[in-house]
Amino acid sequence: NSKLRHVEKDVLIPQIMRDRAKELCSDKVQAFTKCCQETGLLMVVKCRQENTALKDCLVGYYTDPSFYEECKAEYLKQREEYRATGIKKKRQKFTPNV
């Protein structure tokens, strides 16, 4: 049964999307974090470029229908395993095929 409840569509699947997008945009996350650490209070001004690159990367994934379907399939697989075993698996780190 692949019917989704409201909480699955609006909370659980978007959480997988956020986690995976952060992993896929990790170079931009690191660049923004490094910039913030180096500039301190001026980060709002000095890290604009890094912040924009990070936002663009994340939003690109959040708005991609095929990425949503991929994350939905991952969620349904996890849900099926949980229903079959009663054991909740920890989410594994996603490693892109490079």
Side-chain angles (χ1 to χ4, degrees):
N1 180 7
S2 63
K3 193 154 171 63
L4 295 170
R5 296 173 306 167
H6 167 74
V7 71
E8 292 172 317
K9 276 191 262 188
D10 296 344
V11 178
L12 300 174
I13 293 172
Q15 181 60 54
I16 290 173
M17 291 177 75
R18 280 190 297 277
D19 291 348
R20 287 192 58 198
K22 279 184 198 166
E23 291 166 8
L24 292 166
C25 297
S26 65
D27 57 331
K28 290 163 187 64
V29 171
Q30 288 170 357
F32 179 65
T33 303
K34 184 175 183 228
C35 180
C36 291
Q37 289 169 344
E38 290 172 356
T39 56
L41 294 174
L42 297 174
M43 69 181 164
V44 174
V45 176
K46 294 204 173 192
C47 301
R48 247 186 223 142
Q49 190 176 345
E50 291 84 354
N51 188 29
T52 299
L54 174 57
K55 271 197 229 170
D56 289 348
C57 183
L58 294 172
V59 169
Y61 284 109
Y62 298 158
T63 56
D64 180 354
S66 63
F67 185 68
Y68 174 83
E69 290 302 321
E70 206 176 295
C71 293
K72 176 178 152 185
E74 180 182 330
Y75 171 76
L76 290 172
K77 184 176 171 222
Q78 291 172 3
R79 184 178 78 172
E80 187 180 318
E81 288 173 10
Y82 174 73
R83 287 180 175 176
T85 63
I87 299 168
K88 189 171 184 176
K89 278 187 146 183
K90 283 190 177 180
R91 207 172 98 60
Q92 295 175 350
K93 277 247 181 218
F94 172 74
T95 48
N97 298 334
V98 186

